[in-house]
């Protein structure tokens, strides 16, 4: 396992802890780490992880995020019943409650992107920030433009500045 989880930019001790918490997941852990790349590296703006229910998708991603100490927010699409809650949770996690309070009462995606840009210019990211969305199949019932916009979020936020942003979508199988 130790051979599969070697990537410059990550602490060897943290990678060892990840491998200990994910027994028999060497292949998946190595693949996920290679797709994530180095913390300061730009790569895929979004990853879609799918599989059967209770197969460990969320567990693997959460172990990576916590043990590698990566800046992230985990959003349950079951709990976030409105777009406003989703935007608020992301802003609050990355920038604190003051940033979340800047959102209008019924925020649009452009409001969210504008506030994220403002906050990022005041406190730029030193490494990639991750948004992990669980049960993302529920986004199909949300506004028609929300899922495509979230998948292009790195592009939308990066219009004037270059920000590191990656979206993980962790779901079960679409039915």
């Amino acid at each position: 396992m130790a051979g599969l989880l070697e990537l410059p930019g990550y602490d060897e001790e943290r990678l060892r802890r990840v491998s200990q918490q994910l027994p028999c997941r060497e292949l998946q852990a190595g693949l996920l780490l290679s797709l994530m790349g180095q913390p300061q590296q730009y790569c895929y703006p979004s990853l879609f992880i799918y599989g059967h229910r209770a197969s460990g998708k969320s567990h693997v991603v959460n172990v990576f995020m916590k043990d590698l100490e990566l800046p992230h927010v985990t959003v349950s699409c079951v709990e976030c019943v409105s777009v406003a809650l989703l935007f608020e949770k992301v802003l609050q996690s990355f920038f604190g409650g003051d940033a979340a309070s800047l959102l209008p009462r019924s925020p649009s995606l452009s409001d969210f992107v504008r506030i994220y840009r403002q906050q990022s210019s005041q406190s730029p990211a030193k490494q990639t920030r991750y948004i992990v969305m669980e049960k993302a199949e529920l986004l199909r019932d949300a506004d028609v433009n929300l899922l495509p916009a979230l998948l292009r979020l790195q592009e939308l936020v990066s219009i004037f500045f270059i920000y590191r942003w990656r979206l993980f979508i962790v779901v079960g199988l679409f039915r």
Side-chain angles (χ1 to χ4, degrees):
M1 177 71 175
L4 287 175
L5 290 183
E6 292 180 1
L7 192 67
Y10 292 102
D11 182 43
E12 289 180 26
E13 177 62 27
R14 290 181 184 162
L15 288 173
R16 187 184 60 72
R17 269 188 277 144
V18 168
S19 64
Q20 287 177 345
Q21 290 191 32
L22 300 174
C24 301
R25 297 278 186 166
E26 294 85 5
L27 184 62
Q28 292 88 358
L31 179 62
L32 184 59
L33 188 64
S34 68
L35 289 172
M36 288 171 58
Q38 296 177 18
Q40 294 80 18
Q41 194 177 42
Y42 295 100
C43 68
Y44 303 105
S46 61
L47 294 174
F48 178 74
I49 301 172
Y50 67 95
H52 292 287
R53 199 177 314 183
S55 60
K57 302 173 297 294
S58 296
H59 175 69
V60 170
V61 172
N62 287 331
V63 165
F64 266 90
M65 295 296 139
K66 289 178 183 165
D67 285 358
L68 296 178
E69 298 179 6
L70 300 171
H72 72 285
V73 59
T74 301
V75 177
S76 170
C77 294
V78 172
E79 295 172 8
C80 288
V81 294
S82 71
V83 178
L85 289 173
L86 175 101
F87 295 158
E88 183 179 326
K89 186 165 183 167
V90 170
L91 290 173
Q92 186 171 12
S93 177
F94 290 143
F95 305 110
D98 293 339
S101 67
L102 296 174
L103 282 170
R105 185 174 179 142
S106 296
S108 65
L109 183 67
S110 61
D111 293 327
F112 172 69
V113 170
R114 178 182 48 80
I115 293 170
Y116 187 89
R117 270 194 216 142
Q118 287 174 348
Q119 297 299 313
S120 290
S121 65
Q122 294 171 7
S123 60
K126 295 183 173 111
Q127 59 182 348
T128 302
R129 292 178 177 143
Y130 296 90
I131 299 175
V132 180
M133 301 195 69
E134 295 181 340
K135 303 282 187 200
E137 67 268 17
L138 297 174
L139 291 175
R140 292 183 300 179
D141 299 332
D143 184 25
V144 146
N145 298 324
L146 182 62
L147 185 57
L150 287 174
L151 292 173
R152 293 183 49 230
L153 199 53
Q154 184 175 10
E155 180 183 334
L156 292 173
V157 171
S158 301
I159 293 173
F160 298 110
F161 306 101
I162 296 179
Y163 297 116
R164 295 178 181 95
W165 186 298
R166 196 167 306 145
L167 175 68
F168 276 100
I169 296 185
V170 182
V171 297
L173 289 174
F174 280 102
R175 295 186 192 266

